[in-house]
Every structure is written in structure tokens, then in C-alpha cells.
Amino acid sequence: MKELEIKAALQIRKTAQEVFEAIVDPEKMSHYFISESTGKMEEGISVTWKFPEFEDMEVPVRVIKTTAPKLIIFEWEGAKDELLQVKITLEEKPNNSTLVKITEGKMQATEEGIVWYGRNTEGWANFLACLKAYLEFGINLRKGGFDFMESPE
């Protein structure tokens, strides 16, 4: 059976060091992705992320490797009961820009794997768009973007 692996990429008009810091620093990350973290993403430690649109959701993240400003690798429960590895590479490009590439996976091409593939591919594309909007324009694209997911009172 074929394995599925998520791949997403986007170029950002900031240096690799600026992009790296925006990903590992929870203060910066809270302006485009998470609401809070228990700490900075540093090699060998675990942190917990909270998301603004999911009040009760806490996501444990185990940081495997960080090499500033080129690489971040972590594990998380990317799908129910599936510990998956996420690899973020930063490649410097001309004009102080950086190509950000993300891979996550792998899972079997079962019904569960296909659901994960669609959901998390959308999630990583959103992450990259939000990171770009924040770094280049100071905009938080997530703010209000998931209000439709809140349950009616």
C-alpha cells in the first residue's frame, strides 16, 4: 500500500534567521499560528501548544532537532493516535528571501490516512500563508478566520 506524505512550500521575503525565529519563538508564533506555548522550540525539549480557535485543545510537541537558521524537526500527534514527524527546512534565496518547505508523515493510504492528508495539507498551507502575512505585512490571518468553528451558544 502506498504511503502518504504531506509536502508544502512557500517563499517568504525575509531572511532565514527571521523566519526561523518566527517559528521557534512562541511570542512571535502567537501572532500567526498558536495562542500560546509552554516554551521556545529547542532541541531535545517538549512544549505544548494551544490554539486560539480551540479553547480546550493542547498539542504536545517534541522537538527533535533545530539547526538555526536552516532546520526544525519535531514530532506530534498529527492524526489520532499517530505520532508523526514534521520537518521544516529553510533555504536562503536571493533578495533576503527564504523558501520554507514542510513535510509531515507518513501514513498509509487508508481512509484515515486520506482524511489526515487532506486536513493537515490544508493546515500546513494555512500555516505558511499566515507566517508570510505576519512576517511581510504584520497581519494575523488567523484572527477571526476560524470563528465559524465555534459552537453556537
Side-chain angles (χ1 to χ4, degrees):
M1 184 177 288
K2 186 168 174 78
E3 287 187 312
L4 301 171
E5 181 178 45
I6 293 171
K7 295 183 180 189
L10 191 65
Q11 190 162 327
I12 297 174
R13 294 180 309 188
K14 292 292 178 180
T15 66
Q17 186 62 44
E18 289 173 286
V19 176
F20 181 87
E21 285 301 321
I23 296 170
V24 300
D25 181 343
E27 169 57 32
K28 292 179 180 162
M29 197 184 253
S30 70
H31 291 285
Y32 70 91
F33 188 54
I34 60 173
S35 58
E36 62 183 273
S37 174
T38 56
K40 186 173 182 174
M41 293 183 78
E42 296 174 334
E43 192 168 314
I45 70 163
S46 292
V47 298
T48 301
W49 288 344
K50 291 184 180 181
F51 291 86
E53 58 274 3
F54 307 110
E55 249 181 68
D56 298 329
M57 179 189 239
E58 293 187 355
V59 179
V61 174
R62 186 173 72 84
V63 184
I64 297 169
K65 185 170 184 70
T66 58
T67 306
K70 297 179 186 265
L71 179 68
I72 301 159
I73 300 174
F74 65 89
E75 286 181 335
W76 69 347
E77 188 177 330
K80 184 169 175 34
D81 301 323
E82 293 286 338
L83 190 61
L84 299 171
Q85 187 176 95
V86 176
K87 180 179 181 182
I88 303 173
T89 59
L90 308 173
E91 181 183 330
E92 292 195 8
K93 292 292 187 184
N95 301 317
N96 289 321
S97 67
T98 303
L99 177 58
V100 183
K101 293 181 181 178
I102 300 174
T103 58
E104 181 183 0
K106 301 179 178 175
M107 285 186 66
Q108 295 295 316
T110 60
E111 185 175 334
E112 180 185 348
I114 291 168
V115 168
W116 159 79
Y117 185 81
R119 183 184 58 241
N120 286 26
T121 297
E122 179 182 324
W124 287 118
N126 180 268
F127 170 88
L128 288 169
C130 290
L131 175 62
K132 182 176 181 71
Y134 167 66
L135 284 175
E136 291 185 16
F137 305 104
I139 298 168
N140 184 343
L141 288 180
R142 279 183 89 96
K143 189 169 184 138
F146 294 95
D147 288 353
F148 69 93
M149 297 177 79
E150 295 176 2
S151 53
E153 294 180 5

